[in-house]
Amino acid sequence: MANLPDSLYEDYSTSKLTLPSASSFAPTTTVVPFPDMDTIIQWINDLHNEIPFVSNSALQNLVTHRNTYEILPLLLWKSPCTMTMMLQEIVKIYPHISAPVHSQEGKPPRAYNILLLFQCVAHYPETRGYFLKAEMPHYLFPLMDIDLTYKPLECLRLGALGVLAHMLKAVHTHYIVSSFTAYIFVTKRLNIILNISLVLQPIDGAAVRFLMDNGALRYCTKAIEIGSTESKTVSVFILNKILSTNEGLQYCCVLADRFFLIDGLLKKLLVYLSSMTNPSPSLFNLIAGCYAKLSQKPRAREGLWRYPPVMLLNGTFASLLAVRLKHFVELCMVLVDAVIVKTLSVFVCVFLRRRTQTLLTTVSS
């Protein structure tokens, strides 16, 4: 097992997810540590080589260095017939995703490597536009819709989800990004949500619109219901990014059925987390973030008041809250007088301070 690039998950947690690498499945190949540009171009040409060892070795090396050379996605896209060949590799795996066939002659690892290359193509700003214009994510939806949890097939699901996640994640940044969300539930009519965030890179609106127009949430639903913890996390990451845009938030809340579908999925995930010996902090943070974004819409907020996510409020995840929200609550105590007293009576302000102090005491204990 090896870690995929941390950058895929930098947007929502400092925790690192351990995901399967293609080398876990493939035979050992010689990886060149510091290739030059001529070697990179030769590897791209070798992808078309009919000798399996040469082709697989080139593919493994390209995957290993996919985050080292920012020009690699453009070279892959501009190389004649390379993207077509990569799509053909994905299509070849379709007959094998309906049953756990064990004699697949190395196809899952090769297809998984192809998906890793697609991830860097989908992430690079210049090739992302080409990727969307060609509607290439359509070829990945069948891999996300797999009904089985057989491990090699689950890796394909995870790889396909990763491509969509790379489409939505922030482009490379060297600045500190911080986001603080705190909740103070006072009465049914008064719900104060303090959301202080510094977002340095906007989410690609075209990518969000593509996912909405093509019903990508439906395929994420399958991963949330039966996928591994990693697949669930990446699926909720995609949902979180969609909700982070005004257009995506409107899309998720405009229909009551759609809102309650999302709410139901998030509650299922809370139940799933509660059954884990060591609940995933990354997944928990994403779920809480989705609820924070949903609560920004009046209609959705009313729905959350009527059918609240009880597990977020009844202490089920007190240990996670103690680690993640202690500084949020402390921040609330500082801001209560400065922000709320301007609009609320002194009586309500005192009530809020007492409730915040009680919450801080609970979290600290």
Side-chain angles (χ1 to χ4, degrees), residues 97-303:
I97 63 178
S98 59
V101 180
H102 293 272
S103 58
Q104 296 181 9
E105 299 179 356
K107 290 180 181 178
R110 182 171 176 83
Y112 185 75
N113 269 329
I114 295 293
L115 290 172
L116 294 181
L117 291 183
F118 273 141
Q119 288 179 9
C120 69
V121 172
H123 175 60
Y124 188 65
E126 187 170 348
T127 53
R128 183 192 302 141
Y130 301 143
F131 191 78
L132 290 173
K133 188 175 181 180
E135 299 188 348
M136 294 181 70
H138 282 293
Y139 292 91
L140 309 178
F141 290 156
L143 302 182
M144 297 165 56
D145 202 33
I146 297 174
D147 291 320
L148 302 172
T149 56
Y150 177 57
K151 186 174 180 179
L153 300 182
E154 186 63 32
C155 290
L156 293 178
R157 189 206 313 275
L158 181 59
L161 288 166
V163 177
L164 301 191
H166 273 79
M167 285 169 45
L168 297 171
K169 63 178 275 231
V171 184
H172 303 291
T173 178
H174 301 288
Y175 301 93
I176 297 175
V177 179
S178 57
S179 179
F180 304 94
T181 303
Y183 308 87
I184 306 178
F185 295 92
V186 184
T187 68
K188 184 175 181 179
R189 295 184 179 276
L190 179 59
N191 176 27
I192 302 169
I193 300 174
L194 303 178
N195 190 5
I196 304 158
S197 60
L198 174 63
V199 181
L200 301 177
Q201 295 291 347
I203 298 172
D204 191 333
V208 172
R209 285 190 293 274
F210 179 90
L211 296 181
M212 292 189 300
D213 293 342
N214 293 280
L217 285 180
R218 177 170 68 87
Y219 301 101
C220 292
T221 298
K222 181 63 69 67
I224 290 174
E225 289 180 340
I226 67 171
S228 64
T229 301
E230 291 82 4
S231 292
K232 294 178 191 294
T233 302
V234 179
S235 297
V236 184
F237 172 83
I238 295 170
L239 174 59
N240 187 283
K241 287 299 182 182
I242 292 176
L243 289 170
S244 297
T245 66
N246 291 331
E247 192 174 357
L249 183 59
Q250 176 67 16
Y251 170 83
C252 292
C253 298
V254 66
L255 297 177
D257 290 346
R258 189 176 295 155
F259 163 76
F260 283 114
L261 171 64
I262 294 172
D263 179 51
L265 290 173
L266 294 176
K267 288 175 179 174
K268 286 182 180 179
L269 287 170
L270 290 175
V271 174
Y272 172 78
L273 280 177
S274 68
S275 66
M276 299 175 65
T277 304
N278 297 307
S280 167
S282 300
L283 182 53
F284 176 79
N285 290 344
L286 281 172
I287 296 170
C290 287
Y291 274 121
K293 292 175 175 63
L294 286 171
S295 64
Q296 295 173 14
K297 279 289 184 180
R299 291 183 63 190
R301 187 159 59 244
E302 182 65 22

